[in-house]
């Protein structure tokens, strides 16, 4: 199964983190705007980002993960994003790891549909504008002592690059989505974002699948989950059973307590 993310944001009207006690996203230097759109035939609300023209315009995430992957920084991670890009020209910043956003963006798309993963450009023609894409980026330590940075679209692997430990693709105490030090950004729609402190396996990325209106942190159909039930009753009545309506048309289930 896909592990619980370290952070997850369903951008349907606010920036709260869906993971308990985790930090919200911080929109800095611009006025956030949300809009209604259709994803896979379902009407939903998403974040509408303008083109960021200054490094002070960012969508910033706090990074609670400590040093890993044999380095002092966060070298091992996964980031997933549901995006619909207005264009790929000239470049599309996806991730900037410099805390002050003073360097060139570290992972970005090119006009020809390639993705730059730190040290290398890969997967020419894989990315496109004006359609929803679930982009998943993973980074893991390799047997050679460096890092493997991989890219996926809608659950399918598209390319990888090798990067140094504690290099430009390692996360600092904060990191920035869709921002750049010199405005190499485009307007876009963003439905959902998530990150993990582990590199998801190809099978786990495939389980995330394509974009849905429910977002990245949605339950996987057919997965096994533990449901914890509790209640508070001022009258101190004895609860003998739970009645669960799953909301999907299936029969209401009666579950005894204890």
């Amino acid at each position: 199964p896909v592990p619980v993310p370290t952070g997850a944001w369903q951008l349907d009207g606010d920036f709260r983190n869906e993971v308990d006690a985790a930090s919200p996203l911080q929109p800095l230097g611009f006025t956030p705007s949300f809009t209604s759109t259709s994803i896979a035939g379902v009407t939903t609300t998403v974040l509408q980002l303008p083109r960021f023209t200054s490094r002070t315009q960012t969508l910033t995430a706090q990074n609670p993960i400590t040093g890993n992957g044999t380095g002092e920084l966060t070298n091992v991670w996964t980031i997933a994003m549901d995006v619909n890009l207005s264009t790929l020209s000239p470049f599309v910043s996806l991730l900037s790891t410099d805390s002050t956003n003073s360097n060139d963006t570290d992972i970005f798309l090119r006009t020809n549909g390639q993705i730059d993963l730190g040290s290398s450009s890969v997967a020419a023609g894989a990315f496109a504008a004006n359609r929803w894409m679930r982009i998943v980026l993973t980074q893991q330590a390799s047997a050679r002592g460096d890092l493997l940075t991989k890219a996926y679209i809608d659950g399918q692997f598209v390319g990888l690059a090798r990067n140094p430990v504690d290099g430009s693709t390692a996360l600092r105490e904060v990191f920035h989505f869709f921002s750049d030090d010199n405005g190499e950004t485009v307007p876009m729609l963003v439905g959902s974002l998530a990150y993990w402190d582990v590199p998801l396996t190809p099978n786990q990325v495939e389980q995330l699948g394509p974009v849905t209106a429910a977002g990245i942190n949605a339950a996987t159909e057919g997965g096994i989950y533990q449901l914890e039930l509790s209640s508070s009753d001022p009258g101190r009545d004895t609860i003998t059973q739970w009645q669960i309506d799953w909301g999907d048309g299936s029969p209401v289930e009666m579950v005894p307590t204890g």
Side-chain angles (χ1 to χ4, degrees):
V2 179
V4 175
T6 304
W9 303 273
Q10 181 72 5
L11 301 173
D12 55 4
D14 58 45
F15 297 94
R16 64 184 175 83
N17 203 314
E18 296 189 11
V19 176
D20 289 344
S23 299
L25 281 179
Q26 295 178 291
L28 302 175
F30 72 102
T31 300
S33 174
F34 296 88
T35 188
S36 179
T37 190
S38 177
I39 298 178
V42 178
T43 300
T44 188
T45 299
V46 299
L47 177 64
Q48 185 172 29
L49 286 183
R51 176 174 176 258
F52 291 157
T53 58
S54 164
R55 72 177 183 85
T56 60
Q57 294 177 295
T58 73
L59 195 59
T60 298
Q62 300 291 322
N63 176 23
I65 308 169
T66 56
N68 61 20
T70 72
E72 296 183 2
L73 303 177
T74 305
N75 293 280
V76 175
W77 49 261
T78 295
I79 291 176
M81 53 187 72
D82 289 351
V83 294
N84 189 324
L85 311 172
S86 63
T87 179
L88 297 183
S89 180
F91 301 99
V92 183
S93 171
L94 297 179
L95 180 67
S96 296
T97 65
D98 181 68
S99 297
T100 61
N101 203 26
S102 298
N103 297 337
D104 201 20
T105 181
D106 301 288
I107 296 182
F108 61 94
L109 303 180
R110 294 180 179 268
T111 305
N112 64 355
Q114 281 186 319
I115 185 169
D116 271 49
L117 298 169
S119 64
S120 303
S121 299
V122 299
F127 297 84
N130 298 307
R131 73 173 181 90
W132 282 100
M133 297 181 291
R134 177 163 287 172
I135 301 173
V136 178
L137 307 168
T138 70
Q139 186 160 271
Q140 66 192 73
S142 82
R144 286 171 39 175
D146 59 359
L147 304 171
L148 293 179
T149 311
K150 302 178 182 180
Y152 301 78
I153 303 177
D154 296 336
Q156 302 302 306
F157 173 74
V158 293
L160 66 84
R162 308 192 82 100
N163 287 293
V165 171
D166 286 346
S168 66
T169 57
L171 303 180
R172 278 68 175 171
E173 61 270 20
V174 299
F175 54 92
H176 312 280
F177 292 107
F178 317 123
S179 186
D180 183 47
D181 68 329
N182 59 0
E184 293 178 340
T185 67
V186 302
M188 68 178 74
L189 301 178
V190 186
S192 187
L193 297 166
Y195 75 107
W196 290 258
D197 60 358
V198 295
L200 296 188
T201 67
N203 182 60
Q204 289 169 334
V205 174
E206 185 177 8
Q207 289 180 50
L208 290 179
V211 181
T212 67
I216 298 167
N217 198 31
T220 302
E221 184 176 355
I224 298 174
Y225 300 90
Q226 179 175 317
L227 181 63
E228 297 182 358
L229 304 173
S230 64
S231 69
S232 175
D233 184 357
R236 298 184 179 179
D237 293 326
T238 300
I239 297 174
T240 59
Q241 66 181 9
W242 300 95
Q243 192 171 285
I244 303 175
D245 183 350
W246 297 105
D248 59 359
S250 59
V252 172
E253 292 188 37
M254 311 297 284
V255 182
T257 61

